[in-house]
Amino acid sequence: MLRWVLVLLLAGSSPFAKAQEVRRDKDKEAGIHYYGKEFFLIEGTTIPDSLKESPYDRLPISYKNKVRTPVWELSKASAGISVRFLSNATTIKVKWELLNNARMNHMAETGIKGIDLYCRMDDRWQYVNTARPSGKENEALLINNMSSEKREYKMFLPLYDGVTKLEIGIDTLRKIEKPARSDRRPIVFYGTSITQGGCASRPGMAYTNIISRKLNVECVNYGFSGNGRMESAIADLLSEIDASFFVIDCLPNMLSPEIRKNAIPLVEIIRSKHPSTPIVFVEGLLHEKAFLDDTTKSRLNEKNRVLRSEYEKMLERGFTNIFYVDGKGALGDDHEGTVDGAHFTDLGFIRFADYLISKFEQYKLTVTTPNKN
């Protein structure tokens, strides 16, 4: 018994415990109250909380033994997931706990595991601030000294780490409300590290999140770094979603034989439940070194030729509402859109998002709502 008392006393006197106590006292003095997920709307996922280990996971728990281990582990990252809320707060803070406290040598930690705050201003989403991570348990002041008027806010969650807990702090005398969910069908993306958000400097700059803001629609992000391969398990999951349309951007992670093996079956699985929902295939972009490295250029061009061939077979088989997006000019012509010749900078993400939106418009792909009759 004495041993456990000593353990508790030591735990209570640890630097971490003392730091927590100091933060609580400061929040109390500042009049800050924190609210959990009951007070905000989680967007970017169509899976109910009850079917996931964490509300901010991207795959249901039933897929743990259905997908390959790397895919499952990557699905714990909250890429593309956001929370939306209404508040008349004059101060906004955020607390969040991370699954892994991940790090990479070519991506800013604010993008890997930070949180972005946006505010709706004049019918558009305007960036406010980024909560910077400092460890597995984090707390940040995002904005204060605001006038007390009701505004709509959106927080984009970490791209390459999981979130196990999230709380929004506002001044005690103010209110926070969960907004109504939009009845617009989401756009669903399936792809690679670039789809997941590598290497955006902050979460809001992933291209799916940019498209979400520009088109005012939820975007579901199934980007799996190094593991976007048009696999049947993910195709099954896609087929369960009532989407406006599907965007398949997997070529950087695939070899030519995999493209031949998986592209048409993926369409067949989706078409088994969605006979006419548009499916958009995006070809792979040339890595920067491919403009000088002939071997890399030949390999990447060959994969695009194979995808084009499979796409033409889909049309020959009578599949409709299947579209092909080539990559020419997707990042501009100055070769300044990547971190490492392949993964995008924020500039690259903005250009790619705008390029895809222009293609959606060209193909007359629109965000739809369910027929209520």
Side-chain angles (χ1 to χ4, degrees):
M1 180 67 179
L2 179 60
R3 185 183 66 175
W4 288 111
V5 171
L6 289 171
V7 169
L8 290 171
L9 286 173
L10 288 171
S13 62
S14 69
F16 176 71
K18 286 181 178 179
Q20 282 188 313
E21 187 175 342
V22 168
R23 285 197 296 268
R24 284 195 295 268
D25 289 344
K26 286 183 177 179
D27 284 338
K28 188 175 181 180
E29 290 174 10
I32 301 296
H33 186 79
Y34 281 89
Y35 296 86
K37 63 185 180 67
E38 297 80 11
F39 292 87
F40 47 76
L41 182 66
I42 300 173
E43 298 185 314
T45 177
T46 62
I47 302 166
D49 290 356
S50 61
L51 301 181
K52 297 185 288 185
E53 288 185 332
S54 163
Y56 313 106
D57 288 351
R58 293 185 292 153
L59 291 182
I61 186 64
S62 61
Y63 271 64
K64 188 169 186 177
N65 296 317
K66 189 174 182 179
V67 298
R68 292 179 295 107
T69 298
V71 174
W72 174 254
E73 292 174 349
L74 289 162
S75 78
K76 306 294 284 184
S78 53
I81 294 179
S82 61
V83 302
R84 187 161 56 91
F85 60 97
L86 305 168
S87 181
N88 63 344
T90 64
T91 297
I92 297 177
K93 298 184 71 175
V94 63
K95 290 181 182 179
W96 74 107
E97 295 181 8
L98 295 166
L99 181 64
N100 300 310
N101 196 22
R103 289 181 177 174
M104 294 190 287
N105 64 9
H106 64 332
M107 183 171 176
E109 291 193 9
T110 44
I112 295 170
K113 52 193 174 183
I115 291 178
D116 276 355
L117 178 67
Y118 281 75
C119 180
R120 189 184 288 277
M121 304 284 283
D122 299 325
D123 202 34
R124 66 183 179 88
W125 289 107
Q126 180 173 314
Y127 172 69
V128 177
N129 200 3
T130 300
R132 302 181 189 183
S134 58
K136 291 193 77 170
E137 298 194 11
N138 301 276
E139 179 179 352
L141 170 66
L142 284 162
I143 184 73
N144 58 4
N145 304 317
M146 294 187 292
S147 60
S148 180
E149 58 183 272
K150 190 174 183 180
R151 300 179 178 91
E152 185 176 9
Y153 297 94
K154 192 175 184 73
M155 285 181 177
F156 290 98
L157 303 190
L159 299 171
Y160 269 78
D161 208 332
V163 173
T164 58
K165 186 177 181 181
L166 178 70
E167 293 180 306
I168 296 170
I170 63 171
D171 29 327
T172 304
L173 298 179
R174 310 304 170 189
K175 296 181 179 179
I176 183 171
E177 301 174 23
K178 179 186 290 190
R181 184 175 292 279
S182 170
D183 62 354
R184 309 178 90 202
R185 292 185 175 100
I187 304 172
V188 179
F189 294 81
Y190 177 28
T192 67
S193 54
I194 294 172
T195 303
Q196 187 172 336
C199 293
S201 70
R202 52 185 180 82
M205 297 311 294
Y207 79 79
T208 62
N209 290 341
I210 296 171
I211 290 172
S212 175
R213 293 194 301 276
K214 290 196 171 191
L215 299 185
N216 193 28
V217 62
E218 279 192 71
C219 289
V220 177
N221 185 320
Y222 288 123
F224 302 108
S225 183
N227 287 275
R229 300 178 185 174
M230 301 187 196
E231 293 174 294
S232 60
I234 300 301
D236 288 338
L237 185 65
L238 300 184
S239 73
E240 297 295 331
I241 301 174
D242 185 18
S244 287
F245 51 92
F246 301 93
V247 180
I248 313 300
D249 186 13
C250 290
L251 244 60
N253 290 167
M254 301 181 73
L255 300 175
S256 293
E258 286 180 301
I259 300 168
R260 294 188 184 96
K261 178 183 176 183
N262 293 348
I264 291 177
L266 179 140
V267 171
E268 291 173 332
I269 291 170
I270 294 175
R271 281 287 177 263
S272 68
K273 294 185 179 178
H274 300 286
S276 59
T277 302
I279 302 173
V280 181
F281 284 93
V282 182
E283 73 175 22
L285 307 187
L286 287 183
H287 297 181
E288 290 302 328
K289 69 177 184 179
F291 290 91
L292 295 173
D293 182 331
D294 291 337
T295 299
T296 298
K297 183 177 182 179
S298 176
R299 175 173 53 84
L300 297 178
N301 282 334
E302 171 63 17
K303 291 199 294 183
N304 286 339
R305 282 193 292 270
V306 172
L307 180 64
R308 173 72 77 170
S309 175
E310 295 304 298
Y311 167 71
E312 290 171 353
K313 291 177 186 176
M314 295 172 198
L315 300 183
E316 291 170 1
R317 287 183 50 173
F319 288 116
T320 59
N321 281 341
I322 309 290
F323 302 92
Y324 187 95
V325 172
D326 66 60
K328 187 176 181 180
L331 296 188
D333 58 7
D334 57 9
H335 304 280
E336 298 290 359
T338 70
V339 168
D340 53 6
H343 298 93
F344 299 171
T345 61
D346 292 354
L347 175 63
F349 277 119
I350 290 170
R351 289 176 174 175
F352 192 61
D354 287 342
Y355 182 78
L356 287 182
I357 289 172
S358 73
K359 291 298 182 178
F360 299 160
E361 293 172 347
Q362 176 185 334
Y363 294 137
K364 296 181 171 55
L365 301 175
T366 59
V367 177
T368 58
T369 55
N371 187 342
K372 296 181 180 181
N373 293 332

